[in-house]
Amino acid sequence: MSYGWNDVQRIAEELEEQHPDLDPYSIGFTRLQQMIKALPDFDDTSGRVGEKVLEAVQTLWAAEKD
């Protein structure tokens, strides 16, 4: 089932699964957005992306590492 920009927790979990060795805070927003768009089953047309969404993803992704 696909998911979109509003599913920040799912995005964070998927990023941790796909990129466990990366520090979420070392990635710029442009690269982070590209990485999210490349996730399996991600629907780029679902929801809106902005700085607040990307910040939320980074924070949740970092929490997944703890």
Side-chain angles (χ1 to χ4, degrees):
M1 187 165 128
S2 68
Y3 56 100
W5 290 111
N6 295 329
D7 302 304
V8 291
Q9 181 64 46
R10 169 99 186 260
I11 292 169
E13 291 167 1
E14 293 288 335
L15 286 169
E16 177 59 20
E17 186 175 311
Q18 297 287 322
H19 308 283
D21 297 332
L22 288 180
D23 173 8
Y25 296 117
S26 71
I27 300 165
F29 284 159
T30 302
R31 181 169 176 224
L32 179 59
Q33 188 173 351
Q34 292 168 346
M35 289 169 63
I36 293 168
K37 288 180 180 182
L39 291 172
D41 299 321
F42 184 76
D43 179 6
D44 184 35
T45 64
S46 177
R48 297 179 60 183
V49 63
E51 191 171 306
K52 290 192 183 275
V53 170
L54 296 172
E55 286 176 349
V57 168
Q58 276 185 325
T59 301
L60 291 169
W61 184 7
E64 286 292 316
K65 294 190 156 305
D66 292 338

